Amino acid sequence: MAAQVARSRGPESAMVPIPYYLLLAAALFCMGMFGVMVRRNALVVFMCVELMLNAANLTFLAFARMHGDVIGHVSAFFVIAVAASEAAIGLAIVIAVFRSRGSVLVEDLRTMKH
């Protein structure tokens, strides 16, 4: 019955409104920002940064859908490329620090003296 009602209204009625995407992106970004400020483990901080980048991607794609162009998709593609490089380089740095110090806590990394 619900499928018949959705089909009778057309495809526009089944779409999620743009403000819902923006609210979800804002919530994801705030959770990531909170995690960056509060967490002590460097790996968790990197995951929170990834969460913030994904929130930015969701915002780009929501505005691209709203305006009907591909600029948001191109921006999201570049953010994904930056996130992948950040994850690879960040993980390499965390592994190198763990091998030399035996810990990945952010407080231990404040001074880079050996």
Side-chain angles (χ1 to χ4, degrees):
M1 180 74 178
Q4 291 174 346
V5 172
R7 267 190 253 137
S8 67
R9 292 184 193 164
E12 293 294 323
S13 65
M15 291 178 24
V16 178
I18 300 297
Y20 291 172
Y21 289 113
L22 297 178
L23 286 173
L24 176 63
L28 288 173
F29 191 87
C30 288
M31 285 191 301
M33 186 176 58
F34 179 75
V36 166
M37 292 189 304
V38 172
R39 301 305 270 170
R40 295 175 20 184
N41 191 337
L43 290 175
V44 176
V45 170
F46 278 127
M47 289 190 327
C48 291
V49 169
E50 293 289 330
L51 191 63
M52 292 190 309
L53 290 172
N54 285 330
N57 278 342
L58 184 58
T59 303
F60 283 138
L61 295 175
F63 282 121
R65 179 176 161 202
M66 184 172 70
H67 293 295
D69 60 359
V70 296
I71 299 298
H73 297 278
V74 173
S75 300
F77 178 75
F78 283 117
V79 170
I80 290 170
V82 167
S85 64
E86 177 260 335
I89 293 170
L91 187 59
I93 291 171
V94 167
I95 289 172
V97 167
F98 181 75
R99 285 184 180 170
S100 68
R101 295 184 179 221
S103 173
V104 292
L105 296 180
V106 177
E107 288 86 21
D108 297 342
L109 304 177
R110 294 204 187 262
T111 59
M112 294 303 286
K113 296 177 185 175
H114 201 302

